[in-house]
Amino acid sequence: DIVMTQSPATLSVSPEERATLSCRASQSVSSNLAWYQQRPGQAPRLLIYDASTRAPGLPARFSGSGSGTQFTLTISSVQSEDFAVYYCHQYNNWPGTFGQGTKVEIK
Amino acid sequence: EVQLVQSGAEVKKAGESLKISCKGAGYNFGNYWIGWVRQMPGKGLEWMGIIFPGDPHIRYGPSFEGQVTISADKSITTAYLQWRSLKASDTAIYYCARVASGYFYFDYWGQGTLVTVSS
């Protein structure tokens, strides 16, 4: 299975600061990577697919980049509702695998 | 509006059987894969398997093959996840999610079903 490694495990940011989350794949997944947000007590929600395409209705402050083995999710100006756990997910190889998550918390 | 509505929380004893459900609405259920994802307490997401209700064609993740059974009834737009004999380690939240057309990421998610298994 492809191993997805996210860093950091926890990211402390102040509101309106920029947040940069990383995801590394153990082998190339091309651009077949998605990002999900999970708020406490809620189901995950799709943010980004194909590494850089925003899901419908997603605010423009969220952006994804990368290909191959290195990917980044950027929140340009973190809002209160963005404090959550973020997961990357590769769907290039069977079975799909998730990263362990990055928690974005209030500094 | 696409919706996936899951059955309610379950409390079971080790060794018991269980079947939880996920009802799809707002789209052509038979034309999209549905997946199941496990989240153990305080942990991340694990990909369990997917089913294409129109066939049905099923694929399991290696860690879950033989441990659970995934099925679907297209006539009532419902997918299922089933255990024959639960273990305490099956305690988790289980999410169903629709697989995006032509790809294998999840574009819509159910609200989750909490399964608690006591030993």
Side-chain angles (χ1 to χ4, degrees):
Chain A
D1 295 4
I2 294 179
V3 177
M4 306 300 291
T5 303
Q6 292 186 240
S7 60
T10 303
L11 183 62
S12 299
V13 297
S14 301
E16 300 185 10
E17 274 190 350
R18 184 183 191 87
T20 302
L21 290 67
S22 296
C23 175
R24 186 181 77 248
S26 60
Q27 64 188 76
S28 176
V29 298
S30 186
S31 294
N32 295 314
L33 184 107
W35 290 93
Y36 305 92
Q37 176 195 67
Q38 188 176 33
R39 295 176 176 140
Q42 295 188 17
R45 163 198 176 200
L46 176 67
L47 299 179
I48 301 284
Y49 61 94
D50 292 351
S52 61
T53 304
R54 275 193 294 275
L58 187 69
R61 65 180 181 272
F62 290 92
S63 63
S65 63
S67 67
T69 62
Q70 295 280 355
F71 301 88
T72 301
L73 175 70
T74 302
I75 311 172
S76 60
S77 175
V78 176
Q79 304 300 301
S80 57
E81 62 267 30
D82 302 335
F83 292 101
V85 179
Y86 294 81
Y87 295 95
C88 61
H89 165 214
Q90 72 80 18
Y91 49 95
N92 189 67
N93 283 43
W94 187 268
T97 46
F98 295 92
Q100 80 280 17
T102 290
K103 181 180 181 181
V104 176
E105 65 175 24
I106 300 174
K107 189 173 183 179
Chain B
E1 179 197 4
V2 174
Q3 285 192 307
L4 295 170
V5 179
Q6 298 186 230
S7 50
E10 301 274 1
V11 178
K12 292 287 192 179
K13 290 185 169 56
E16 292 185 330
S17 63
L18 177 64
K19 192 173 189 178
I20 63 175
S21 66
C22 168
K23 183 169 176 63
Y27 71 100
N28 190 333
F29 185 79
N31 284 359
Y32 288 81
W33 292 82
I34 287 272
W36 288 95
V37 175
R38 182 174 77 176
Q39 187 167 40
M40 299 178 78
K43 302 297 185 183
L45 305 173
E46 298 174 271
W47 199 99
M48 299 179 71
I50 55 173
I51 184 167
F52 191 76
D55 287 326
H57 189 62
I58 307 168
R59 298 192 70 177
Y60 293 94
S63 301
F64 296 93
E65 182 98 52
Q67 306 305 306
V68 297
T69 301
I70 294 171
S71 61
D73 185 339
K74 192 174 70 166
S75 69
I76 56 171
T77 68
T78 300
Y80 302 96
L81 180 64
Q82 184 174 9
W83 294 260
R84 271 195 297 190
S85 179
L86 286 160
K87 302 185 282 287
S89 58
D90 292 318
T91 294
I93 298 174
Y94 294 88
Y95 294 101
C96 66
R98 192 184 80 163
V99 175
S101 180
Y103 300 89
F104 284 96
Y105 61 87
F106 299 115
D107 58 358
Y108 290 92
W109 293 69
Q111 83 278 19
T113 295
L114 173 61
V115 174
T116 304
V117 184
S118 62
S119 51

PDB file of all heavy atoms in Angstrom, chain B residues 96-113:
ATOM      1  N   CYS B  96     -20.111   5.980   5.308  1.00  0.00           N
ATOM      2  CA  CYS B  96     -20.235   5.664   3.889  1.00  0.00           C
ATOM      3  C   CYS B  96     -19.986   6.953   3.113  1.00  0.00           C
ATOM      4  O   CYS B  96     -20.165   8.057   3.648  1.00  0.00           O
ATOM      5  CB  CYS B  96     -21.601   5.067   3.545  1.00  0.00           C
ATOM      6  SG  CYS B  96     -23.006   6.177   3.756  1.00  0.00           S
ATOM      7  N   ALA B  97     -19.527   6.815   1.888  1.00  0.00           N
ATOM      8  CA  ALA B  97     -19.218   7.986   1.087  1.00  0.00           C
ATOM      9  C   ALA B  97     -19.373   7.630  -0.384  1.00  0.00           C
ATOM     10  O   ALA B  97     -19.032   6.515  -0.798  1.00  0.00           O
ATOM     11  CB  ALA B  97     -17.801   8.476   1.374  1.00  0.00           C
ATOM     12  N   ARG B  98     -19.862   8.581  -1.168  1.00  0.00           N
ATOM     13  CA  ARG B  98     -20.003   8.344  -2.601  1.00  0.00           C
ATOM     14  C   ARG B  98     -18.670   8.597  -3.289  1.00  0.00           C
ATOM     15  O   ARG B  98     -17.976   9.585  -2.991  1.00  0.00           O
ATOM     16  CB  ARG B  98     -21.069   9.268  -3.186  1.00  0.00           C
ATOM     17  CG  ARG B  98     -21.474   8.883  -4.604  1.00  0.00           C
ATOM     18  CD  ARG B  98     -22.460   9.855  -5.205  1.00  0.00           C
ATOM     19  NE  ARG B  98     -21.809  11.059  -5.708  1.00  0.00           N
ATOM     20  CZ  ARG B  98     -22.379  11.916  -6.558  1.00  0.00           C
ATOM     21  NH1 ARG B  98     -23.614  11.693  -6.973  1.00  0.00           N
ATOM     22  NH2 ARG B  98     -21.722  12.989  -6.968  1.00  0.00           N
ATOM     23  N   VAL B  99     -18.347   7.712  -4.210  1.00  0.00           N
ATOM     24  CA  VAL B  99     -17.130   7.890  -4.990  1.00  0.00           C
ATOM     25  C   VAL B  99     -17.457   8.766  -6.194  1.00  0.00           C
ATOM     26  O   VAL B  99     -18.435   8.528  -6.900  1.00  0.00           O
ATOM     27  CB  VAL B  99     -16.579   6.523  -5.452  1.00  0.00           C
ATOM     28  CG1 VAL B  99     -15.381   6.700  -6.365  1.00  0.00           C
ATOM     29  CG2 VAL B  99     -16.214   5.670  -4.244  1.00  0.00           C
ATOM     30  N   ALA B 100     -16.643   9.771  -6.423  1.00  0.00           N
ATOM     31  CA  ALA B 100     -16.864  10.677  -7.549  1.00  0.00           C
ATOM     32  C   ALA B 100     -16.805   9.912  -8.866  1.00  0.00           C
ATOM     33  O   ALA B 100     -16.034   8.965  -9.016  1.00  0.00           O
ATOM     34  CB  ALA B 100     -15.814  11.776  -7.549  1.00  0.00           C
ATOM     35  N   SER B 101     -17.633  10.335  -9.795  1.00  0.00           N
ATOM     36  CA  SER B 101     -17.723   9.650 -11.080  1.00  0.00           C
ATOM     37  C   SER B 101     -16.392   9.636 -11.813  1.00  0.00           C
ATOM     38  O   SER B 101     -15.783  10.686 -12.006  1.00  0.00           O
ATOM     39  CB  SER B 101     -18.781  10.348 -11.944  1.00  0.00           C
ATOM     40  OG  SER B 101     -18.894   9.719 -13.193  1.00  0.00           O
ATOM     41  N   GLY B 102     -15.928   8.475 -12.199  1.00  0.00           N
ATOM     42  CA  GLY B 102     -14.696   8.356 -12.975  1.00  0.00           C
ATOM     43  C   GLY B 102     -13.421   8.379 -12.162  1.00  0.00           C
ATOM     44  O   GLY B 102     -12.345   8.189 -12.704  1.00  0.00           O
ATOM     45  N   TYR B 103     -13.524   8.650 -10.855  1.00  0.00           N
ATOM     46  CA  TYR B 103     -12.333   8.729 -10.010  1.00  0.00           C
ATOM     47  C   TYR B 103     -12.597   7.933  -8.744  1.00  0.00           C
ATOM     48  O   TYR B 103     -13.625   7.305  -8.621  1.00  0.00           O
ATOM     49  CB  TYR B 103     -12.031  10.199  -9.665  1.00  0.00           C
ATOM     50  CG  TYR B 103     -11.780  11.040 -10.875  1.00  0.00           C
ATOM     51  CD1 TYR B 103     -12.838  11.674 -11.526  1.00  0.00           C
ATOM     52  CD2 TYR B 103     -10.500  11.193 -11.389  1.00  0.00           C
ATOM     53  CE1 TYR B 103     -12.615  12.426 -12.667  1.00  0.00           C
ATOM     54  CE2 TYR B 103     -10.274  11.958 -12.517  1.00  0.00           C
ATOM     55  CZ  TYR B 103     -11.337  12.576 -13.144  1.00  0.00           C
ATOM     56  OH  TYR B 103     -11.127  13.330 -14.262  1.00  0.00           O
ATOM     57  N   PHE B 104     -11.684   7.958  -7.814  1.00  0.00           N
ATOM     58  CA  PHE B 104     -11.905   7.196  -6.593  1.00  0.00           C
ATOM     59  C   PHE B 104     -11.692   8.021  -5.334  1.00  0.00           C
ATOM     60  O   PHE B 104     -11.298   7.493  -4.317  1.00  0.00           O
ATOM     61  CB  PHE B 104     -11.045   5.916  -6.600  1.00  0.00           C
ATOM     62  CG  PHE B 104     -11.631   4.861  -7.507  1.00  0.00           C
ATOM     63  CD1 PHE B 104     -11.169   4.725  -8.805  1.00  0.00           C
ATOM     64  CD2 PHE B 104     -12.672   4.057  -7.081  1.00  0.00           C
ATOM     65  CE1 PHE B 104     -11.721   3.790  -9.656  1.00  0.00           C
ATOM     66  CE2 PHE B 104     -13.236   3.108  -7.927  1.00  0.00           C
ATOM     67  CZ  PHE B 104     -12.754   2.973  -9.215  1.00  0.00           C
ATOM     68  N   TYR B 105     -11.990   9.317  -5.417  1.00  0.00           N
ATOM     69  CA  TYR B 105     -12.059  10.085  -4.182  1.00  0.00           C
ATOM     70  C   TYR B 105     -13.531  10.170  -3.785  1.00  0.00           C
ATOM     71  O   TYR B 105     -14.423   9.831  -4.555  1.00  0.00           O
ATOM     72  CB  TYR B 105     -11.428  11.470  -4.341  1.00  0.00           C
ATOM     73  CG  TYR B 105     -12.086  12.351  -5.385  1.00  0.00           C
ATOM     74  CD1 TYR B 105     -13.174  13.160  -5.068  1.00  0.00           C
ATOM     75  CD2 TYR B 105     -11.611  12.393  -6.689  1.00  0.00           C
ATOM     76  CE1 TYR B 105     -13.778  13.958  -6.017  1.00  0.00           C
ATOM     77  CE2 TYR B 105     -12.193  13.192  -7.645  1.00  0.00           C
ATOM     78  CZ  TYR B 105     -13.272  13.973  -7.311  1.00  0.00           C
ATOM     79  OH  TYR B 105     -13.859  14.754  -8.266  1.00  0.00           O
ATOM     80  N   PHE B 106     -13.801  10.614  -2.572  1.00  0.00           N
ATOM     81  CA  PHE B 106     -15.157  10.633  -2.033  1.00  0.00           C
ATOM     82  C   PHE B 106     -15.701  12.050  -2.061  1.00  0.00           C
ATOM     83  O   PHE B 106     -15.162  12.942  -1.404  1.00  0.00           O
ATOM     84  CB  PHE B 106     -15.150  10.109  -0.598  1.00  0.00           C
ATOM     85  CG  PHE B 106     -14.657   8.680  -0.477  1.00  0.00           C
ATOM     86  CD1 PHE B 106     -13.493   8.395   0.205  1.00  0.00           C
ATOM     87  CD2 PHE B 106     -15.378   7.640  -1.035  1.00  0.00           C
ATOM     88  CE1 PHE B 106     -13.043   7.092   0.329  1.00  0.00           C
ATOM     89  CE2 PHE B 106     -14.942   6.330  -0.925  1.00  0.00           C
ATOM     90  CZ  PHE B 106     -13.767   6.053  -0.240  1.00  0.00           C
ATOM     91  N   ASP B 107     -16.787  12.257  -2.828  1.00  0.00           N
ATOM     92  CA  ASP B 107     -17.310  13.621  -2.941  1.00  0.00           C
ATOM     93  C   ASP B 107     -18.452  13.932  -1.973  1.00  0.00           C
ATOM     94  O   ASP B 107     -18.688  15.111  -1.658  1.00  0.00           O
ATOM     95  CB  ASP B 107     -17.690  13.954  -4.393  1.00  0.00           C
ATOM     96  CG  ASP B 107     -18.720  13.017  -4.997  1.00  0.00           C
ATOM     97  OD1 ASP B 107     -19.135  12.053  -4.319  1.00  0.00           O
ATOM     98  OD2 ASP B 107     -19.095  13.241  -6.162  1.00  0.00           O
ATOM     99  N   TYR B 108     -19.170  12.938  -1.510  1.00  0.00           N
ATOM    100  CA  TYR B 108     -20.222  13.147  -0.512  1.00  0.00           C
ATOM    101  C   TYR B 108     -20.114  12.059   0.550  1.00  0.00           C
ATOM    102  O   TYR B 108     -19.851  10.899   0.226  1.00  0.00           O
ATOM    103  CB  TYR B 108     -21.615  13.105  -1.149  1.00  0.00           C
ATOM    104  CG  TYR B 108     -21.896  14.288  -2.033  1.00  0.00           C
ATOM    105  CD1 TYR B 108     -21.618  14.242  -3.398  1.00  0.00           C
ATOM    106  CD2 TYR B 108     -22.421  15.481  -1.513  1.00  0.00           C
ATOM    107  CE1 TYR B 108     -21.849  15.323  -4.218  1.00  0.00           C
ATOM    108  CE2 TYR B 108     -22.664  16.570  -2.327  1.00  0.00           C
ATOM    109  CZ  TYR B 108     -22.367  16.487  -3.674  1.00  0.00           C
ATOM    110  OH  TYR B 108     -22.598  17.570  -4.485  1.00  0.00           O
ATOM    111  N   TRP B 109     -20.363  12.471   1.798  1.00  0.00           N
ATOM    112  CA  TRP B 109     -20.218  11.563   2.926  1.00  0.00           C
ATOM    113  C   TRP B 109     -21.513  11.453   3.715  1.00  0.00           C
ATOM    114  O   TRP B 109     -22.259  12.440   3.840  1.00  0.00           O
ATOM    115  CB  TRP B 109     -19.128  12.086   3.873  1.00  0.00           C
ATOM    116  CG  TRP B 109     -17.739  12.054   3.299  1.00  0.00           C
ATOM    117  CD1 TRP B 109     -17.246  12.814   2.282  1.00  0.00           C
ATOM    118  CD2 TRP B 109     -16.661  11.217   3.726  1.00  0.00           C
ATOM    119  NE1 TRP B 109     -15.931  12.506   2.040  1.00  0.00           N
ATOM    120  CE2 TRP B 109     -15.539  11.533   2.925  1.00  0.00           C
ATOM    121  CE3 TRP B 109     -16.526  10.239   4.716  1.00  0.00           C
ATOM    122  CZ2 TRP B 109     -14.310  10.897   3.064  1.00  0.00           C
ATOM    123  CZ3 TRP B 109     -15.295   9.620   4.868  1.00  0.00           C
ATOM    124  CH2 TRP B 109     -14.205   9.948   4.053  1.00  0.00           C
ATOM    125  N   GLY B 110     -21.760  10.268   4.288  1.00  0.00           N
ATOM    126  CA  GLY B 110     -22.818  10.114   5.260  1.00  0.00           C
ATOM    127  C   GLY B 110     -22.389  10.710   6.597  1.00  0.00           C
ATOM    128  O   GLY B 110     -21.235  11.117   6.775  1.00  0.00           O
ATOM    129  N   GLN B 111     -23.320  10.734   7.543  1.00  0.00           N
ATOM    130  CA  GLN B 111     -23.051  11.373   8.834  1.00  0.00           C
ATOM    131  C   GLN B 111     -22.274  10.461   9.783  1.00  0.00           C
ATOM    132  O   GLN B 111     -21.809  10.920  10.830  1.00  0.00           O
ATOM    133  CB  GLN B 111     -24.373  11.831   9.492  1.00  0.00           C
ATOM    134  CG  GLN B 111     -25.143  10.766  10.263  1.00  0.00           C
ATOM    135  CD  GLN B 111     -26.012   9.875   9.397  1.00  0.00           C
ATOM    136  OE1 GLN B 111     -25.844   9.765   8.189  1.00  0.00           O
ATOM    137  NE2 GLN B 111     -26.973   9.212  10.056  1.00  0.00           N
ATOM    138  N   GLY B 112     -22.120   9.205   9.417  1.00  0.00           N
ATOM    139  CA  GLY B 112     -21.379   8.263  10.251  1.00  0.00           C
ATOM    140  C   GLY B 112     -22.288   7.457  11.157  1.00  0.00           C
ATOM    141  O   GLY B 112     -23.349   7.936  11.591  1.00  0.00           O
ATOM    142  N   THR B 113     -21.881   6.223  11.437  1.00  0.00           N
ATOM    143  CA  THR B 113     -22.574   5.345  12.380  1.00  0.00           C
ATOM    144  C   THR B 113     -21.564   4.896  13.422  1.00  0.00           C
ATOM    145  O   THR B 113     -20.537   4.296  13.073  1.00  0.00           O
ATOM    146  CB  THR B 113     -23.159   4.108  11.672  1.00  0.00           C
ATOM    147  OG1 THR B 113     -24.174   4.516  10.756  1.00  0.00           O
ATOM    148  CG2 THR B 113     -23.756   3.137  12.695  1.00  0.00           C
TER     149      THR B 113
END
